[in-house]
Amino acid sequence: MDMMPASRRLLTFTALSGELPTDLVPRLGIGEQYGERLITSLKRDGLLKTYYRDRLRGYRLTAKGKKLLLMENPRRFSFYLTGCSDTNQPRSDYPRRLRLHQAARTYCLMANAGVTLFRDQKPDLFSGISAAPAAPFPFPAFYHSREIKELGHETVKINNSRSMGILLAENCVYPVFYTGDAVLKWEYRTEIRLKAFLFHHLRQGNLTFYPQLPGIHALLIGRDMDMAVRLMESTGGFRHSLFTLDTSFDYFHFVPDTPAGEILLRLLCSPSRQKQLSALLLSDLEPANADAVMDCDALWKGYPALLAYDFDMLRISRFLTALKLRSQTGHIICFDFQKAALETYCGKTVTLSTIDLAKFERRFFP
């Protein structure tokens, strides 16, 4: 989290999202009792106000609060606090406000995972103002869907995508989707167009600064690990308008909107640490057969084994399906906070061993 005073942190994330969920304050590193006093003070100074409707309670900036931030750092805030955008003039209808709350939760998770968010700290890749980004690029960096749509008419075909934006990591581009506590709406053809749009810009557009063509992996953020099970079991709903594990992306990583999810997101943004962790885990396993029909990483006591700490839901699903087709038992290695979800989803088809998240964090992110 950016080392700014708590009051500015609260105002900043309210500005970025348009409306900050009231329960998100502790995730900004602000204690409950101090947060109450801080919010009272900001309201008394006329910088912040509470908005409550349709069971959604959030904080919004006042005109005085917007003016203060614009005066202090126009490069960071003018995109959000000028014009008729939803962040500058938040609407009252439930779907728009829910989208703002989801954006706020996404920003908070990203910030706590060390992702670059602020426009004065990252290149204007989609505004047409700057040419090539300065080297080195500030990986990892997140660009909200509104920032991407600065490209104008070129983004019309992806306007209906459910993506919150894209996360640029060193060797991977993550279209980010916030599913929260419900299975999100999903339109296969629109997300295919989003992937094509990203491939175009990686090859000959605004993202050609990558030394090698990176992969494009979908990243879904949900309330908790139980949500991952619901997503993996979803068949699209009655009208097939809800999420299902389809072929729009080759990878579907799930990250819970929790402190554990923040650590997982750090790992997903660090290819060197992923490589180091995988090598460490594989050192205790037998190599997989070169001619093995099913996709697995190694053998555990002769059984197919999968490294699932990155929680690629599509690969986990395929692994389980292959085991069931062959009437086999397999083994999955995951983080301890992912274990219960995998037990629910896989049942007795797999055995599980876990990585202690606290020990992992101390060793890999001291």
Side-chain angles (χ1 to χ4, degrees), residues 254-255 260-268 309 335 337-338:
F254 181 86
V255 173
E262 296 165 4
I263 299 171
L264 177 57
L265 186 56
R266 282 183 181 271
L267 179 61
L268 291 176
Y309 62 81
F335 282 112
F337 72 89
Q338 300 166 333

Side-chain angles (χ1 to χ4, degrees), residues 78-103:
S78 59
F79 177 78
Y80 306 98
L81 301 181
T82 58
C84 57
S85 65
D86 278 357
T87 50
N88 185 41
Q89 298 177 1
R91 308 304 197 269
S92 59
D93 57 297
Y94 182 84
R96 284 177 179 261
R97 291 186 61 219
L98 181 62
R99 180 79 172 176
L100 297 182
H101 282 226
Q102 292 175 341

Side-chain angles (χ1 to χ4, degrees), residues 48-83:
L48 198 70
K49 60 184 178 182
T50 300
Y51 188 89
Y52 179 75
R53 183 173 178 175
D54 298 325
R55 293 177 294 177
L56 279 183
R57 187 185 300 274
Y59 299 119
R60 293 182 176 184
L61 294 177
T62 63
K64 183 178 178 181
K66 295 176 186 177
K67 184 177 179 180
L68 174 66
L69 294 179
L70 285 170
M71 181 179 64
E72 289 184 348
N73 194 335
R75 174 76 181 85
R76 177 172 295 187
F77 295 110
S78 59
F79 177 78
Y80 306 98
L81 301 181
T82 58

